[in-house]
Amino acid sequence: MLKIRNGRDFVGGAAMIVVSLLFIAFGRELDVGNSFQMGPGYFPVMLSLLLIGIGVLIIVQSLVVAVRDEPDAPANWKASILVILAPVFFGLALSRLGLAPTMFLMVGGVSCASRYAGWRHSIALALFMAISSVVLFTRLLSLPVSAFGPWIPFLSN
């Protein structure tokens, strides 16, 4: 008889597999192509297959490794709410503030939810992510995203 030793990991691995299969099912009409001529469905399918592999590993680990008997930590509602609101903020503020300030505020705000990060680490991480995202997305990938939006007129293009 199969015994699940760590139910939380088992459910997490199964959820990863289900989400991956949904992405594959929704993107089945996209052309996958091959490694040399990638179609629009190449990355979603490959990332879904990678996620399925990770999910299988987590399920196998949940069958082998037992969870320690520790009392459950209280839920960190502040972190949960901030992590859920961060993409909403990003979607609403990107066209108005631009990539750099939006990324800075989002990462800085979400890092405040951590019990282990201080304000210096949060600011340093937010600044690094803002600069990195501007360099990557606007300069290297040439995506049509401005670094500073119309709400910051003295820095916008």
Side-chain angles (χ1 to χ4, degrees):
M1 183 74 189
L2 190 64
K3 182 177 180 183
I4 299 172
R5 293 177 176 238
N6 189 341
R8 200 171 13 179
D9 284 351
F10 185 84
V11 171
M16 290 172 70
I17 292 172
V18 168
V19 168
S20 300
L21 292 174
L22 285 174
F23 273 102
I24 289 174
F26 286 125
R28 69 177 182 264
E29 295 178 4
L30 298 173
D31 181 29
V32 176
N34 57 37
S35 297
F36 297 107
Q37 293 181 338
M38 298 177 204
Y42 185 80
F43 275 112
V45 169
M46 292 302 141
L47 291 177
S48 296
L49 292 176
L50 179 67
L51 197 59
I52 288 173
I54 293 172
V56 168
L57 288 176
I58 290 173
I59 286 176
V60 168
Q61 184 184 13
S62 73
L63 299 176
V64 175
V65 178
V67 66
R68 286 189 254 163
D69 290 332
E70 295 178 356
D72 289 337
N76 189 354
W77 292 107
K78 178 182 167 186
S80 300
I81 291 171
L82 284 175
V83 168
I84 291 171
L85 290 179
V88 174
F89 170 76
F90 187 82
L92 293 174
L94 181 62
S95 63
R96 295 169 182 94
L97 287 175
L99 183 60
T102 302
M103 185 65 75
F104 180 81
L105 292 174
M106 184 184 74
V107 172
V110 171
S111 66
C112 290
S114 173
R115 297 175 183 152
Y116 308 108
W119 65 272
R120 291 185 192 127
H121 291 105
S122 300
I123 290 174
L125 177 66
L127 195 59
F128 172 75
M129 290 298 294
I131 293 170
S132 299
S133 62
V134 167
V135 169
L136 176 66
F137 293 114
T138 62
R139 304 291 181 232
L140 297 177
L141 296 176
S142 299
L143 292 179
V145 177
S146 61
F148 296 97
W151 282 7
I152 305 174
F154 54 94
L155 292 175
S156 63
N157 297 336

